[in-house]
mmCIF file of all heavy atoms in Angstrom:
data_model
loop_
_atom_site.group_PDB
_atom_site.id
_atom_site.type_symbol
_atom_site.label_atom_id
_atom_site.label_comp_id
_atom_site.label_asym_id
_atom_site.label_seq_id
_atom_site.Cartn_x
_atom_site.Cartn_y
_atom_site.Cartn_z
ATOM 1 N N GLU A 1 -9.403 4.517 -7.485
ATOM 2 C CA GLU A 1 -8.758 5.828 -7.335
ATOM 3 C C GLU A 1 -7.472 5.656 -6.531
ATOM 4 O O GLU A 1 -7.456 5.837 -5.314
ATOM 5 C CB GLU A 1 -9.690 6.843 -6.658
ATOM 6 C CG GLU A 1 -9.119 8.249 -6.671
ATOM 7 C CD GLU A 1 -10.190 9.324 -6.529
ATOM 8 O OE1 GLU A 1 -11.390 9.005 -6.565
ATOM 9 O OE2 GLU A 1 -9.805 10.497 -6.379
ATOM 10 N N PRO A 2 -6.388 5.316 -7.199
ATOM 11 C CA PRO A 2 -5.122 5.109 -6.481
ATOM 12 C C PRO A 2 -4.582 6.425 -5.925
ATOM 13 O O PRO A 2 -4.902 7.513 -6.421
ATOM 14 C CB PRO A 2 -4.201 4.550 -7.577
ATOM 15 C CG PRO A 2 -4.758 5.091 -8.851
ATOM 16 C CD PRO A 2 -6.245 5.143 -8.649
ATOM 17 N N GLU A 3 -3.784 6.310 -4.885
ATOM 18 C CA GLU A 3 -3.171 7.505 -4.311
ATOM 19 C C GLU A 3 -2.201 8.120 -5.312
ATOM 20 O O GLU A 3 -1.422 7.407 -5.957
ATOM 21 C CB GLU A 3 -2.421 7.149 -3.026
ATOM 22 C CG GLU A 3 -3.334 6.739 -1.879
ATOM 23 C CD GLU A 3 -2.549 6.517 -0.594
ATOM 24 O OE1 GLU A 3 -1.354 6.883 -0.570
ATOM 25 O OE2 GLU A 3 -3.119 5.973 0.357
ATOM 26 N N TRP A 4 -2.270 9.439 -5.463
ATOM 27 C CA TRP A 4 -1.389 10.121 -6.413
ATOM 28 C C TRP A 4 -1.280 11.580 -6.014
ATOM 29 O O TRP A 4 -2.251 12.202 -5.561
ATOM 30 C CB TRP A 4 -1.946 10.029 -7.837
ATOM 31 C CG TRP A 4 -1.014 10.587 -8.878
ATOM 32 C CD1 TRP A 4 -0.049 9.903 -9.549
ATOM 33 C CD2 TRP A 4 -0.954 11.931 -9.344
ATOM 34 N NE1 TRP A 4 0.611 10.752 -10.411
ATOM 35 C CE2 TRP A 4 0.079 11.991 -10.308
ATOM 36 C CE3 TRP A 4 -1.664 13.091 -9.042
ATOM 37 C CZ2 TRP A 4 0.421 13.178 -10.976
ATOM 38 C CZ3 TRP A 4 -1.329 14.278 -9.702
ATOM 39 C CH2 TRP A 4 -0.295 14.308 -10.659
ATOM 40 N N GLU A 5 -0.082 12.125 -6.168
ATOM 41 C CA GLU A 5 0.095 13.557 -5.940
ATOM 42 C C GLU A 5 1.162 14.112 -6.866
ATOM 43 O O GLU A 5 2.056 13.392 -7.329
ATOM 44 C CB GLU A 5 0.459 13.846 -4.481
ATOM 45 C CG GLU A 5 1.762 13.248 -4.020
ATOM 46 C CD GLU A 5 2.051 13.571 -2.557
ATOM 47 O OE1 GLU A 5 1.104 13.855 -1.801
ATOM 48 O OE2 GLU A 5 3.245 13.531 -2.190
ATOM 49 N N LEU A 6 1.042 15.381 -7.178
ATOM 50 C CA LEU A 6 2.004 16.079 -8.026
ATOM 51 C C LEU A 6 3.284 16.314 -7.236
ATOM 52 O O LEU A 6 3.240 16.864 -6.144
ATOM 53 C CB LEU A 6 1.413 17.416 -8.485
ATOM 54 C CG LEU A 6 2.286 18.312 -9.350
ATOM 55 C CD1 LEU A 6 2.524 17.677 -10.728
ATOM 56 C CD2 LEU A 6 1.647 19.697 -9.506
ATOM 57 N N GLU A 7 4.397 15.853 -7.787
ATOM 58 C CA GLU A 7 5.678 16.083 -7.120
ATOM 59 C C GLU A 7 6.114 17.534 -7.331
ATOM 60 O O GLU A 7 5.877 18.118 -8.389
ATOM 61 C CB GLU A 7 6.747 15.129 -7.672
ATOM 62 C CG GLU A 7 6.402 13.655 -7.467
ATOM 63 C CD GLU A 7 7.423 12.740 -8.103
ATOM 64 O OE1 GLU A 7 8.566 13.190 -8.355
ATOM 65 O OE2 GLU A 7 7.084 11.568 -8.365
ATOM 66 N N ARG A 8 6.732 18.095 -6.316
ATOM 67 C CA ARG A 8 7.189 19.484 -6.410
ATOM 68 C C ARG A 8 8.676 19.545 -6.077
ATOM 69 O O ARG A 8 9.112 19.015 -5.064
ATOM 70 C CB ARG A 8 6.383 20.377 -5.474
ATOM 71 C CG ARG A 8 4.936 20.575 -5.924
ATOM 72 C CD ARG A 8 4.121 21.306 -4.858
ATOM 73 N NE ARG A 8 2.822 21.737 -5.332
ATOM 74 C CZ ARG A 8 1.740 20.972 -5.374
ATOM 75 N NH1 ARG A 8 1.824 19.715 -4.964
ATOM 76 N NH2 ARG A 8 0.584 21.443 -5.806
ATOM 77 N N TYR A 9 9.418 20.221 -6.942
ATOM 78 C CA TYR A 9 10.856 20.355 -6.759
ATOM 79 C C TYR A 9 11.198 21.795 -6.397
ATOM 80 O O TYR A 9 10.424 22.715 -6.684
ATOM 81 C CB TYR A 9 11.583 19.972 -8.055
ATOM 82 C CG TYR A 9 11.642 18.487 -8.321
ATOM 83 C CD1 TYR A 9 10.520 17.785 -8.772
ATOM 84 C CD2 TYR A 9 12.814 17.769 -8.139
ATOM 85 C CE1 TYR A 9 10.571 16.427 -9.018
ATOM 86 C CE2 TYR A 9 12.879 16.402 -8.389
ATOM 87 C CZ TYR A 9 11.746 15.743 -8.823
ATOM 88 O OH TYR A 9 11.797 14.397 -9.061
ATOM 89 N N PRO A 10 12.354 22.037 -5.783
ATOM 90 C CA PRO A 10 12.770 23.410 -5.474
ATOM 91 C C PRO A 10 13.135 24.185 -6.741
ATOM 92 O O PRO A 10 13.291 23.599 -7.812
ATOM 93 C CB PRO A 10 13.990 23.223 -4.564
ATOM 94 C CG PRO A 10 14.509 21.862 -4.907
ATOM 95 C CD PRO A 10 13.316 21.036 -5.270
ATOM 96 N N VAL A 11 13.259 25.496 -6.586
ATOM 97 C CA VAL A 11 13.633 26.357 -7.728
ATOM 98 C C VAL A 11 14.938 25.853 -8.327
ATOM 99 O O VAL A 11 15.897 25.530 -7.600
ATOM 100 C CB VAL A 11 13.780 27.820 -7.262
ATOM 101 C CG1 VAL A 11 14.274 28.684 -8.415
ATOM 102 C CG2 VAL A 11 12.444 28.342 -6.752
ATOM 103 N N THR A 12 14.980 25.772 -9.659
ATOM 104 C CA THR A 12 16.129 25.194 -10.353
ATOM 105 C C THR A 12 16.667 26.145 -11.412
ATOM 106 O O THR A 12 15.902 26.772 -12.145
ATOM 107 C CB THR A 12 15.719 23.862 -11.038
ATOM 108 O OG1 THR A 12 15.206 22.975 -10.044
ATOM 109 C CG2 THR A 12 16.905 23.224 -11.739
ATOM 110 N N GLU A 13 17.990 26.278 -11.467
ATOM 111 C CA GLU A 13 18.628 27.078 -12.520
ATOM 112 C C GLU A 13 18.540 26.314 -13.839
ATOM 113 O O GLU A 13 18.551 25.091 -13.875
ATOM 114 C CB GLU A 13 20.093 27.339 -12.165
ATOM 115 C CG GLU A 13 20.276 28.092 -10.846
ATOM 116 C CD GLU A 13 21.730 28.177 -10.438
ATOM 117 O OE1 GLU A 13 22.577 27.576 -11.148
ATOM 118 O OE2 GLU A 13 22.025 28.827 -9.432
ATOM 119 N N GLU A 14 18.439 27.071 -14.944
ATOM 120 C CA GLU A 14 18.267 26.468 -16.273
ATOM 121 C C GLU A 14 19.348 25.429 -16.565
ATOM 122 O O GLU A 14 19.075 24.362 -17.100
ATOM 123 C CB GLU A 14 18.296 27.560 -17.355
ATOM 124 C CG GLU A 14 17.120 28.529 -17.299
ATOM 125 C CD GLU A 14 15.899 27.983 -18.016
ATOM 126 O OE1 GLU A 14 16.014 26.936 -18.656
ATOM 127 O OE2 GLU A 14 14.827 28.616 -17.921
ATOM 128 N N GLU A 15 20.602 25.735 -16.208
ATOM 129 C CA GLU A 15 21.691 24.819 -16.550
ATOM 130 C C GLU A 15 21.634 23.514 -15.748
ATOM 131 O O GLU A 15 22.264 22.522 -16.115
ATOM 132 C CB GLU A 15 23.054 25.499 -16.368
ATOM 133 C CG GLU A 15 23.313 26.036 -14.974
ATOM 134 C CD GLU A 15 22.902 27.491 -14.829
ATOM 135 O OE1 GLU A 15 22.032 27.942 -15.615
ATOM 136 O OE2 GLU A 15 23.429 28.172 -13.940
ATOM 137 N N ARG A 16 20.864 23.505 -14.663
ATOM 138 C CA ARG A 16 20.746 22.292 -13.846
ATOM 139 C C ARG A 16 19.514 21.464 -14.196
ATOM 140 O O ARG A 16 19.272 20.429 -13.584
ATOM 141 C CB ARG A 16 20.714 22.666 -12.365
ATOM 142 C CG ARG A 16 22.018 23.256 -11.831
ATOM 143 C CD ARG A 16 22.010 23.247 -10.329
ATOM 144 N NE ARG A 16 21.851 21.898 -9.791
ATOM 145 C CZ ARG A 16 21.382 21.628 -8.573
ATOM 146 N NH1 ARG A 16 20.988 22.609 -7.779
ATOM 147 N NH2 ARG A 16 21.281 20.380 -8.137
ATOM 148 N N LEU A 17 18.729 21.928 -15.181
ATOM 149 C CA LEU A 17 17.506 21.219 -15.532
ATOM 150 C C LEU A 17 17.741 19.774 -15.970
ATOM 151 O O LEU A 17 17.008 18.874 -15.549
ATOM 152 C CB LEU A 17 16.736 21.980 -16.616
ATOM 153 C CG LEU A 17 15.789 23.075 -16.109
ATOM 154 C CD1 LEU A 17 15.112 23.765 -17.286
ATOM 155 C CD2 LEU A 17 14.759 22.507 -15.153
ATOM 156 N N PRO A 18 18.741 19.514 -16.843
ATOM 157 C CA PRO A 18 18.958 18.112 -17.241
ATOM 158 C C PRO A 18 19.193 17.192 -16.047
ATOM 159 O O PRO A 18 18.681 16.074 -15.995
ATOM 160 C CB PRO A 18 20.203 18.189 -18.146
ATOM 161 C CG PRO A 18 20.165 19.569 -18.693
ATOM 162 C CD PRO A 18 19.646 20.430 -17.576
ATOM 163 N N GLU A 19 19.940 17.683 -15.071
ATOM 164 C CA GLU A 19 20.213 16.894 -13.863
ATOM 165 C C GLU A 19 18.924 16.663 -13.069
ATOM 166 O O GLU A 19 18.662 15.563 -12.574
ATOM 167 C CB GLU A 19 21.234 17.646 -13.011
ATOM 168 C CG GLU A 19 21.510 17.034 -11.653
ATOM 169 C CD GLU A 19 22.398 17.925 -10.806
ATOM 170 O OE1 GLU A 19 23.151 18.746 -11.379
ATOM 171 O OE2 GLU A 19 22.350 17.795 -9.564
ATOM 172 N N ARG A 20 18.091 17.717 -12.973
ATOM 173 C CA ARG A 20 16.843 17.610 -12.222
ATOM 174 C C ARG A 20 15.876 16.643 -12.916
ATOM 175 O O ARG A 20 15.223 15.815 -12.265
ATOM 176 C CB ARG A 20 16.191 18.994 -12.102
ATOM 177 C CG ARG A 20 14.948 19.022 -11.237
ATOM 178 C CD ARG A 20 15.260 18.825 -9.779
ATOM 179 N NE ARG A 20 15.877 20.005 -9.190
ATOM 180 C CZ ARG A 20 16.424 20.040 -7.997
ATOM 181 N NH1 ARG A 20 16.462 18.930 -7.270
ATOM 182 N NH2 ARG A 20 16.970 21.146 -7.522
ATOM 183 N N ILE A 21 15.775 16.735 -14.244
ATOM 184 C CA ILE A 21 14.874 15.844 -14.996
ATOM 185 C C ILE A 21 15.353 14.402 -14.876
ATOM 186 O O ILE A 21 14.558 13.474 -14.728
ATOM 187 C CB ILE A 21 14.802 16.285 -16.472
ATOM 188 C CG1 ILE A 21 14.120 17.654 -16.568
ATOM 189 C CG2 ILE A 21 14.035 15.269 -17.300
ATOM 190 C CD1 ILE A 21 14.171 18.270 -17.956
ATOM 191 N N ALA A 22 16.678 14.201 -14.947
ATOM 192 C CA ALA A 22 17.231 12.846 -14.834
ATOM 193 C C ALA A 22 16.874 12.225 -13.487
ATOM 194 O O ALA A 22 16.609 11.017 -13.398
ATOM 195 C CB ALA A 22 18.738 12.877 -15.020
ATOM 196 N N SER A 23 16.830 13.034 -12.437
ATOM 197 C CA SER A 23 16.478 12.499 -11.117
ATOM 198 C C SER A 23 14.992 12.168 -11.031
ATOM 199 O O SER A 23 14.581 11.315 -10.233
ATOM 200 C CB SER A 23 16.853 13.497 -10.016
ATOM 201 O OG SER A 23 16.042 14.657 -10.075
ATOM 202 N N PHE A 24 14.182 12.833 -11.862
ATOM 203 C CA PHE A 24 12.743 12.562 -11.881
ATOM 204 C C PHE A 24 12.423 11.241 -12.586
ATOM 205 O O PHE A 24 11.524 10.512 -12.178
ATOM 206 C CB PHE A 24 12.014 13.718 -12.579
ATOM 207 C CG PHE A 24 10.579 13.424 -12.922
ATOM 208 C CD1 PHE A 24 9.596 13.444 -11.946
ATOM 209 C CD2 PHE A 24 10.209 13.134 -14.229
ATOM 210 C CE1 PHE A 24 8.278 13.168 -12.256
ATOM 211 C CE2 PHE A 24 8.899 12.854 -14.553
ATOM 212 C CZ PHE A 24 7.922 12.874 -13.566
ATOM 213 N N VAL A 25 13.155 10.932 -13.667
ATOM 214 C CA VAL A 25 12.899 9.708 -14.432
ATOM 215 C C VAL A 25 13.515 8.531 -13.684
ATOM 216 O O VAL A 25 14.724 8.352 -13.668
ATOM 217 C CB VAL A 25 13.469 9.801 -15.861
ATOM 218 C CG1 VAL A 25 13.221 8.501 -16.629
ATOM 219 C CG2 VAL A 25 12.860 10.982 -16.595
ATOM 220 N N ARG A 26 12.667 7.721 -13.087
ATOM 221 C CA ARG A 26 13.121 6.602 -12.274
ATOM 222 C C ARG A 26 12.215 5.392 -12.531
ATOM 223 O O ARG A 26 11.145 5.528 -13.131
ATOM 224 C CB ARG A 26 13.137 6.987 -10.794
ATOM 225 C CG ARG A 26 11.812 7.489 -10.260
ATOM 226 C CD ARG A 26 11.987 8.125 -8.886
ATOM 227 N NE ARG A 26 10.709 8.438 -8.252
ATOM 228 C CZ ARG A 26 10.048 9.566 -8.453
ATOM 229 N NH1 ARG A 26 10.530 10.496 -9.264
ATOM 230 N NH2 ARG A 26 8.891 9.776 -7.835
ATOM 231 N N PRO A 27 12.613 4.217 -12.079
ATOM 232 C CA PRO A 27 11.848 3.000 -12.387
ATOM 233 C C PRO A 27 10.440 3.012 -11.805
ATOM 234 O O PRO A 27 10.177 3.641 -10.771
ATOM 235 C CB PRO A 27 12.691 1.892 -11.752
ATOM 236 C CG PRO A 27 14.060 2.460 -11.642
ATOM 237 C CD PRO A 27 13.872 3.925 -11.362
ATOM 238 N N PHE A 28 9.539 2.310 -12.497
ATOM 239 C CA PHE A 28 8.189 2.076 -11.995
ATOM 240 C C PHE A 28 8.101 0.669 -11.415
ATOM 241 O O PHE A 28 8.724 -0.249 -11.926
ATOM 242 C CB PHE A 28 7.152 2.185 -13.120
ATOM 243 C CG PHE A 28 6.838 3.590 -13.542
ATOM 244 C CD1 PHE A 28 7.400 4.123 -14.696
ATOM 245 C CD2 PHE A 28 5.952 4.377 -12.808
ATOM 246 C CE1 PHE A 28 7.093 5.410 -15.100
ATOM 247 C CE2 PHE A 28 5.651 5.668 -13.201
ATOM 248 C CZ PHE A 28 6.225 6.191 -14.357
ATOM 249 N N ASP A 29 7.323 0.525 -10.368
ATOM 250 C CA ASP A 29 6.951 -0.796 -9.863
ATOM 251 C C ASP A 29 5.651 -1.161 -10.559
ATOM 252 O O ASP A 29 4.604 -0.558 -10.295
ATOM 253 C CB ASP A 29 6.766 -0.736 -8.343
ATOM 254 C CG ASP A 29 6.358 -2.083 -7.752
ATOM 255 O OD1 ASP A 29 6.022 -3.011 -8.526
ATOM 256 O OD2 ASP A 29 6.370 -2.195 -6.511
ATOM 257 N N LEU A 30 5.687 -2.138 -11.475
ATOM 258 C CA LEU A 30 4.515 -2.466 -12.278
ATOM 259 C C LEU A 30 3.368 -3.028 -11.455
ATOM 260 O O LEU A 30 2.242 -3.119 -11.947
ATOM 261 C CB LEU A 30 4.897 -3.440 -13.395
ATOM 262 C CG LEU A 30 5.962 -2.931 -14.379
ATOM 263 C CD1 LEU A 30 6.174 -3.946 -15.493
ATOM 264 C CD2 LEU A 30 5.575 -1.581 -14.949
ATOM 265 N N GLY A 31 3.620 -3.380 -10.215
ATOM 266 C CA GLY A 31 2.573 -3.892 -9.354
ATOM 267 C C GLY A 31 1.823 -2.809 -8.599
ATOM 268 O O GLY A 31 0.918 -3.107 -7.830
ATOM 269 N N LYS A 32 2.198 -1.538 -8.820
ATOM 270 C CA LYS A 32 1.565 -0.442 -8.089
ATOM 271 C C LYS A 32 1.056 0.613 -9.063
ATOM 272 O O LYS A 32 1.817 1.111 -9.897
ATOM 273 C CB LYS A 32 2.557 0.185 -7.099
ATOM 274 C CG LYS A 32 2.999 -0.754 -5.993
ATOM 275 C CD LYS A 32 3.970 -0.064 -5.040
ATOM 276 C CE LYS A 32 4.422 -1.008 -3.927
ATOM 277 N NZ LYS A 32 5.398 -0.360 -3.015
ATOM 278 N N ALA A 33 -0.231 0.952 -8.958
ATOM 279 C CA ALA A 33 -0.821 2.005 -9.786
ATOM 280 C C ALA A 33 -0.788 3.330 -9.015
ATOM 281 O O ALA A 33 -0.801 3.334 -7.793
ATOM 282 C CB ALA A 33 -2.256 1.640 -10.132
ATOM 283 N N PRO A 34 -0.731 4.472 -9.757
ATOM 284 C CA PRO A 34 -0.689 4.541 -11.214
ATOM 285 C C PRO A 34 0.742 4.464 -11.734
ATOM 286 O O PRO A 34 1.682 4.851 -11.031
ATOM 287 C CB PRO A 34 -1.303 5.911 -11.503
ATOM 288 C CG PRO A 34 -0.918 6.747 -10.321
ATOM 289 C CD PRO A 34 -0.914 5.806 -9.133
#
């Protein structure tokens, strides 16, 4: 049961969503689950 939590972002305007999603997609360290 690896440590995991749901990330929470502040309220975002619709036009800023692409920028917010881009900041969420980031590299994984394959040596760390999940």
Side-chain angles (χ1 to χ4, degrees):
E1 188 157 352
E3 292 185 11
W4 186 90
E5 63 180 23
L6 178 68
E7 299 176 21
R8 290 172 169 84
Y9 284 75
V11 175
T12 302
E13 300 173 356
E14 294 276 353
E15 57 268 24
R16 293 195 59 203
L17 274 179
E19 174 187 336
R20 185 70 74 191
I21 293 172
S23 68
F24 168 76
V25 179
R26 56 192 189 274
F28 284 101
D29 179 349
L30 300 184
K32 295 181 180 178

